[in-house]
Amino acid sequence: MRVSLEQAIAELKKGEVVAIPTETVYGLAADATNDAALKKIFTTKQRPADHPLIVHISDIREVKDWVTDFPELAVNLAKAFWPGALTLVLPAKPHVSRVVRGDEPTVALRVPNHPMALALLKQSGLSVAAPSANLFTQLSPTTAAHVEAGLGDAIPVLDGGACNVGIESTIVSVTPDGQWQLLRPGMISEAEIVKIAGMPQRVKIDSAVHNETQVTPKAPGQHALHYSPRTPLSLYQDRTALLAACNVLQNKNKSCAVLLIGAGVAPDCKVINLPNQPEKVAEQLYSALHALDALKVDRLLVELPPASAEWMAVLDRLTRAGHQ
Ligand code: TXA
Ligand code: MG
């Protein structure tokens, strides 16, 4: 159900959930200070309760309301990238809802760079917690129609057009000792963060040797099988292998659909061809996967981009989407 900005604000103030546009993906928003409203996010998404939510604020000046520490490095990152597709994980003030934090001692904050999201936050005076507006483990939505297809018509949706970043924000944790760690890659790259932070991220500690005494930040809810279409999906490092796999399927009378990156030979089936540029692929990735999934073929075959730094976020999402 599409709603106006005023209706969206009224619903949020009543303690209801509303799907809102951001520049990354659509979020399923609720008042970040209302536990009953926040719980509706989890029930609507069928999401496990220990997965923390990102709080969306309208301005960097609001950070102090949520955190006990705003280290200089984090201030610099916020100044450089907000409003934008960067989420900062910082030590939470004790009053911050445990539902938002998923019982973590930290809270994730972001100022989204979408005019409607910013208008909603400013006009309502609310901060909203919003995970992606899809069912748990399914593809994130980048249009209002994706939200409706995934969550049903009963959910109020503020239609802000297609998201132009297209994949979820980069998540960076900053600890009071001034160190940082990349918790989820996104279109703001590790190299861009290093440039502003002035130092590399804290060396990752292998989870196998992780113990309770180490203060290693973590991103709960980063499941291997995330962002998945319903159709089984296979990933291919090169076009030749993909074409061969397509032939094998067709010889067995199985239907397939294909996602290609860049020009070149295409197989004789439904093909979506994305331009060979990381920003363009990110912007169109979920839309393409939603469209291919809707074909209800036996298998989706997806060509992987090269494993270079500029493709890190796209590769991360594709790898999580891929399953046999
Ligand atoms: O671009 C985005 O970030 C979108 C839009 C709507 O803003 N939101 C989004 O939310 O991707 P979601 O729920 O799908 O992902 C949030 C992730 C969690 O799964 C978790 O990994 C991390 O953010 N996170 C949130 N709070 C955290 C915390 N306190 N500590 C560590 N990780 C946290
Ligand atoms: Mg999500």
Side-chain angles (χ1 to χ4, degrees):
M1 176 192 19
R2 309 279 164 108
V3 294
S4 65
L5 184 61
E6 290 66 31
Q7 288 169 320
I9 290 173
E11 290 296 315
L12 289 169
K13 289 198 165 165
K14 274 197 294 186
E16 296 300 330
V17 294
V18 178
I20 62 163
T22 82
E23 80 281 31
T24 58
V25 301
Y26 274 71
L28 187 64
D31 176 352
T33 62
N34 178 340
D35 276 0
L38 292 165
K39 284 180 184 153
K40 291 181 189 166
I41 293 179
F42 289 87
T43 48
T44 307
K45 275 185 67 91
Q46 298 163 19
R47 172 172 167 129
D50 60 351
H51 286 212
L53 306 173
I54 295 171
V55 177
H56 298 70
I57 54 178
S58 71
D59 192 285
I60 187 174
R61 284 170 295 191
E62 290 167 36
V63 172
K64 64 175 187 336
D65 302 338
W66 297 90
V67 309
T68 53
D69 239 297
F70 194 14
E72 192 186 343
L73 187 146
V75 173
N76 292 339
L77 292 176
K79 284 186 175 158
F81 298 113
W82 284 355
L86 176 73
T87 295
L88 291 172
V89 171
L90 294 163
K93 280 195 165 160
H95 73 80
V96 178
S97 161
R98 298 177 80 85
V99 186
V100 165
R101 292 188 276 124
D103 269 345
E104 296 293 321
T106 49
V107 61
L109 297 169
R110 170 165 115 80
V111 179
N113 188 18
H114 189 290
M116 254 186 212
L118 287 171
L120 177 133
L121 294 170
K122 286 191 177 131
Q123 284 181 35
S124 67
L126 295 172
S127 303
V128 301
S132 50
N134 53 284
L135 291 179
F136 181 59
T137 77
Q138 297 197 348
L139 281 178
S140 298
T142 56
T143 65
H146 293 159
V147 177
E148 289 160 348
L151 295 180
D153 254 349
I155 295 292
V157 185
L158 181 62
D159 186 355
C163 306
N164 62 18
V165 172
I167 62 175
E168 297 82 353
S169 60
T170 305
I171 305 182
V172 169
S173 144
V174 182
T175 41
D177 60 1
Q179 302 220 50
W180 67 277
Q181 198 166 39
L182 185 68
L183 301 186
R184 178 173 72 185
M187 293 314 287
I188 293 175
S189 69
E190 186 177 343
E192 287 174 273
I193 311 267
V194 170
K195 210 166 141 193
I196 302 295
M199 61 173 178
Q201 66 172 319
R202 180 207 300 257
V203 178
K204 286 212 174 71
I205 297 166
D206 189 335
S207 58
V209 297
H210 176 93
N211 70 53
E212 293 305 317
T213 59
Q214 288 169 327
V215 284
T216 314
K218 52 182 176 161
Q222 293 288 305
H223 281 241
L225 252 191
H226 221 114
Y227 317 108
S228 303
R230 290 162 205 261
T231 316
L233 178 152
S234 307
L235 303 167
Y236 295 90
Q237 301 285 356
D238 65 79
R239 184 77 53 102
T240 319
L242 184 148
L243 291 169
C246 193
N247 263 331
V248 170
L249 282 170
Q250 287 174 336
N251 288 340
K252 289 187 195 159
N253 281 325
K254 299 272 187 210
S255 56
C256 57
V258 169
L259 184 65
L260 299 177
I261 298 177
V265 198
D268 182 20
C269 64
K270 170 71 187 175
V271 173
I272 293 184
N273 205 317
L274 298 179
N276 192 18
Q277 293 164 32
E279 289 74 21
K280 291 269 163 56
V281 173
E283 183 182 354
Q284 297 169 37
L285 182 67
Y286 289 135
S287 259
L289 290 172
H290 277 287
L292 293 173
D293 202 20
L295 298 172
K296 299 203 164 31
V297 292
D298 294 315
R299 187 166 286 273
L300 303 182
L301 310 182
V302 173
E303 181 175 40
L304 289 171
S308 59
E310 54 177 2
W311 288 101
M312 188 178 173
V314 166
L315 259 179
D316 172 77
R317 302 307 190 276
L318 279 176
T319 311
R320 289 172 198 274
H323 54 102
Q324 295 304 304

